[in-house]
Amino acid sequence: MKKIAIILLSAFCLACGGAKKEQVEEPKAEAPSKTDHHSASITKVFEAHGGYDTWTGLKQLSYENGGSKTLVELQNRYTRIESESQTVGFDGENVWVNPPSEKADGQRMRYNLMFYFYAFPFVVGDPGVFYEDMEPIELQGKAYNAVKISYGNGVGDSPKDNYIILSDLETNQMQWLMYTATFGGDESSDRFSLIKYEGWNELGGVLLPSSLQWYQYSDGVVGEPRGGARVFENIQVSTEYPAMSNFEMPEGAQVAKLPEEK
């Protein structure tokens, strides 16, 4: 009887085991790529400057400009700008100024302005950016490819700003930048300013300019230069992260605020 009971119990267990359904894991949806939103035209511009993947592989950029030294951690845009009279930093949450100043709040909108212009075209590869192909635009007797850049609502401090990258018809290398500036306002502008990019050098696999020159511009006509050229020197890039202590707000520093934050 014992043998019969054991045989019946074994058969019952096997039957139960066979009745189990196999668990099939459903394939996980792939996360959207950071470049899925790039248009074909802006991709050509990125490739002419070394490629967007090459740029996103860099961890830091530093340069000297206008008597100040700038260090940017490129993955999160932590920033440190040192000049003779003050240091301005962004620690990922706050823009700080040291020593404190009555004009410190003005740094909240402009602390990274020069970096933003300098790092074109790559800075407009970020998520939340939209691209629109335009008819070629002629400046000083030469035609250029034109890609208009705009932003989604709530992207950046000035989402109403617009940019137009003008690149060489054959090489796709960026030559000029047209832009509107709203300085955080709610209304878009149709008045464009103009910058010429020159002195492109390869650093870390990407092309970066050594000179930015603003020009007077009205009704499609390029006027005289606006002041002297902004020259960038001792430009360095690296695939290594900078020390995060560079961006920490020191004791006694002042937090810069937007008007609505006061």
Side-chain angles (χ1 to χ4, degrees):
M1 289 293 293
K2 281 186 178 181
K3 289 184 179 180
I4 295 174
I6 292 172
I7 293 171
L8 290 174
L9 180 61
S10 299
F12 177 76
C13 292
L14 288 172
C16 290
K20 290 182 180 179
K21 293 183 179 179
E22 293 185 6
Q23 293 183 350
V24 179
E25 291 187 5
E26 295 184 3
K28 296 181 180 179
E30 292 186 6
S33 168
K34 291 183 179 180
T35 61
D36 282 350
H37 66 295
H38 290 176
S39 67
S41 55
I42 198 65
T43 297
K44 289 180 180 178
V45 176
F46 291 150
E47 290 177 347
H49 290 260
Y52 191 73
D53 287 343
T54 305
W55 168 258
T56 55
L58 299 175
K59 304 300 190 299
Q60 64 174 297
L61 164 69
S62 62
Y63 54 77
E64 296 179 13
N65 166 255
S68 65
K69 298 180 180 180
T70 297
L71 171 66
V72 181
E73 189 275 309
L74 294 172
Q75 301 300 309
N76 300 285
R77 305 279 171 82
Y78 303 137
T79 304
R80 181 185 182 93
I81 306 169
E82 294 184 63
S83 64
E84 186 176 348
S85 59
Q86 70 175 10
T87 300
V88 178
F90 174 62
D91 60 9
E93 181 178 358
N94 294 311
V95 175
W96 52 264
V97 177
N98 192 40
S101 166
E102 293 181 357
K103 300 180 180 180
D105 290 338
Q107 293 288 1
R108 181 62 183 82
M109 286 297 299
R110 65 174 183 268
Y111 79 95
N112 65 346
L113 188 62
M114 192 55 63
F115 160 76
Y116 199 82
F117 285 130
Y118 178 74
F120 262 83
F122 296 115
V123 287
V124 293
D126 294 344
V129 180
F130 302 99
Y131 313 98
E132 177 186 347
D133 291 348
M134 303 176 65
E135 292 296 322
I137 292 177
E138 185 175 303
L139 294 179
Q140 296 181 329
K142 182 178 179 179
Y144 297 91
N145 292 321
V147 181
K148 184 177 181 180
I149 313 297
S150 58
Y151 294 83
N153 291 330
V155 177
D157 288 334
S158 299
K160 297 297 183 181
D161 289 352
N162 291 297
Y163 301 86
I164 300 176
I165 291 177
L166 303 183
S167 61
D168 186 272
L169 292 177
E170 296 182 0
T171 67
N172 293 304
Q173 184 174 313
M174 180 177 173
Q175 303 292 318
W176 300 84
L177 177 68
M178 300 171 63
Y179 70 95
T180 63
T182 61
F183 300 104
D186 295 328
E187 298 297 328
S188 298
S189 173
D190 57 2
R191 181 179 178 182
F192 281 90
S193 297
L194 183 67
I195 308 174
K196 187 173 186 180
Y197 285 65
E198 296 181 297
W200 293 99
N201 295 302
E202 183 178 339
L203 293 164
V206 298
L207 290 182
L208 296 170
S210 59
S211 175
L212 272 62
Q213 176 64 65
W214 271 253
Y215 279 85
Q216 297 178 9
Y217 181 74
S218 179
D219 298 326
V221 178
V222 181
E224 296 296 318
R226 291 172 50 192
R230 303 295 182 94
V231 177
F232 297 80
E233 300 175 308
N234 296 325
I235 307 161
Q236 297 181 26
V237 298
S238 175
T239 56
E240 300 294 327
Y241 283 102
M244 291 299 103
S245 58
N246 286 298
F247 314 109
E248 294 174 357
M249 183 170 63
E251 185 177 351
Q254 179 180 354
V255 175
K257 297 182 179 181
L258 293 170
E260 60 269 23
E261 295 175 335
K262 297 179 181 180

